[in-house]
Every structure is written in structure tokens, then in C-alpha cells.
Amino acid sequence: EPEVTQTPSHQVTQMGQEVILRCVPISNHLYFYWYRQILGQKVEFLVSFYNNEISEKSEIFDDQFSVERPDGSNFTLKIRSTKLEDSAMYFCASRRDSLRQPQHFGDGTRLSIL
Amino acid sequence: GQQLNQSPQSMFIQEGEDVSMNCTSSSIFNTWLWYKQDPGEGPVLLIALYKAGELTSNGRLTAQFGITRKDSFLNISASIPSDVGIYFCAGQLTGNQFYFGTGTSLTVIP
């Protein structure tokens, strides 16, 4: 069964550095998402992406965050200048279309900011 | 953001017992999803619900979309040790944003 893949599985970065998290959504999916989960807490929506543009974003997704689909297969999340509180699991998800289709999640990238 | 409250927060049950958990909100949702998350992994979809009153089963799991569209429940029958994990509900309003519940942690004692 096709799945969402995320790389790397664990990223350790110094505070203030830029980090790029990568995702390969399921190939025929059209909607893409990034979520964050701080250790022991619930999954929080960051951003949704459709037709090469952001369709919705949460208040967490400030100017330090950006998303891109550079080549038609990868979907990336960039954090420009990381802060300690950015440490979390970051999950990518994709969905086939808007008609009664659920999201499928990757296994996440654990981001640790030192 | 929207608040989805799950209860109970945690459950400790004997193997073979049935489990019931629910998710409530003050908002009306168009879609309810139930996910299971194992440690260090992403959420895995269990059941998707798209219509008020809909009752859907997936093996030993049954979930219902509440008539008011503000709640949903998930039942697990005859629990087994591999049911251990955190169960999240997720709801979609209009648009392309999904909101997750606070999670129910399930421990099954053999």
C-alpha cells in the first residue's frame, strides 16, 4: 500500500539554524499537510497546501515557516531560524481529493533544537 | 483553534474487555476521523465518518458520527494487547483544516 514517507527521521539542529523537513506524499494525492506534535501533546495543524499554494494555516505557522513543493513529488517544510520551542515531531500528511477522503500520515521527523 | 475534547484521557483495561471513548466539540463538524498512534510513529487511520448518524465498523472497531455533528465515539470490542496506544479523534469543519482531539491513552493488561 502506498505511504507517505518523511526524511530524516530525526534532525538535531542548533538554535537559530535553518532546517528543512522533507516529505514525499502518496503519488496521486492532491492535498498536503504539515502537523506538529510536541512531546506528550496532541497533534496540531500547521498548514495545508493545494494547487501549489497554501490553502490554510494556523497561528503557529508564522513567518519563520514556509512550505514548498519544488519538484512535483517532494513537499518540504522550512523553519528559517529555529527556536528551542520548535522541538517536536513534525508529521506530513496527504489526501487524495476533497471528496470524503481521509488524510494519511507519514511516520514523522523528530526535530530536536539544541 | 477548535477544541476537541476526548474522554477518558487514559484507560487501563483487562485483555478481552470492551473499550469506549468519545470526542466532543462545541462546533459542528463535516467529517470525523479516528486515528491510532504508537510511540514514535505517525497516526494511522482507523475509521473515517462522513455523515451524521453514520455507524462504521473496521474489524473489532466501531465508530459513530453523532447526530448533532458535534461528537463521535469509538468502541473497541474484545481488546487485545496490540490495541495499546493513543487514540485520537480528528474533525474537519469546512475548508481544508483538520483539528485533533486531546487523545485517549489505552493500556491493555494481559
Side-chain angles (χ1 to χ4, degrees):
Chain A
E1 186 174 322
E3 54 185 34
V4 176
T5 57
Q6 290 186 243
T7 55
S9 57
H10 191 190
Q11 173 82 42
V12 181
T13 300
Q14 290 285 336
M15 186 172 64
Q17 296 293 307
E18 175 183 285
V19 67
I20 297 176
L21 310 181
R22 302 180 193 281
C23 169
V24 179
I26 296 172
S27 63
N28 63 346
H29 284 195
L30 302 178
Y31 293 81
F32 313 113
Y33 305 82
W34 281 102
Y35 290 83
R36 177 182 82 176
Q37 187 178 31
I38 294 170
L39 185 65
Q41 298 186 23
K42 69 177 181 180
V43 177
E44 299 175 289
F45 170 81
L46 292 178
V47 66
S48 60
F49 192 86
Y50 170 72
N51 201 26
N52 280 321
E53 61 183 21
I54 291 173
S55 52
E56 293 185 52
K57 59 183 181 179
S58 72
E59 59 273 14
I60 303 169
F61 194 88
D62 61 22
D63 291 344
Q64 293 298 312
F65 290 89
S66 62
V67 290
E68 208 175 35
R69 190 160 157 78
D71 57 11
S73 69
N74 289 285
F75 179 51
T76 62
L77 174 70
K78 183 193 291 187
I79 308 175
R80 191 167 33 228
S81 177
T82 49
K83 304 186 284 288
L84 292 175
E85 53 265 37
D86 292 328
S87 295
M89 285 289 290
Y90 287 81
F91 292 106
C92 173
S94 69
R95 191 159 71 106
R96 199 171 78 189
D97 55 40
S98 63
L99 297 178
R100 299 190 166 195
Q101 294 294 328
Q103 296 171 85
H104 295 267
F105 283 77
D107 279 340
T109 292
R110 178 174 298 284
L111 178 62
S112 300
I113 306 300
L114 305 179
Chain B
Q2 296 293 325
Q3 189 74 16
L4 271 68
N5 298 307
Q6 278 186 250
S7 65
Q9 190 173 1
S10 61
M11 302 181 75
F12 294 81
I13 61 165
Q14 289 289 137
E15 182 177 356
E17 288 184 358
D18 296 344
V19 172
S20 185
M21 61 187 79
N22 65 54
C23 191
T24 60
S25 173
S26 57
S27 299
I28 292 174
F29 285 90
N30 292 326
T31 298
W32 284 98
L33 307 170
W34 284 93
Y35 289 89
K36 178 174 183 272
Q37 186 177 30
D38 292 329
E41 298 184 15
V44 174
L45 181 70
L46 299 173
I47 292 179
L49 302 160
Y50 299 105
K51 199 166 72 169
E54 181 180 353
L55 183 72
T56 297
S57 293
N58 177 8
R60 293 179 295 106
L61 277 62
T62 302
Q64 185 159 30
F65 192 143
I67 286 290
T68 64
R69 293 167 61 196
K70 294 182 179 181
D71 60 354
S72 177
F73 73 74
L74 175 71
N75 286 345
I76 305 172
S77 63
S79 57
I80 59 178
S82 62
D83 291 334
V84 164
I86 301 178
Y87 291 79
F88 287 100
C89 62
Q92 180 190 17
L93 297 169
T94 55
N96 204 18
Q97 187 167 343
F98 288 78
Y99 300 90
F100 275 72
T102 47
T104 293
S105 174
L106 178 64
T107 301
V108 179
I109 303 164

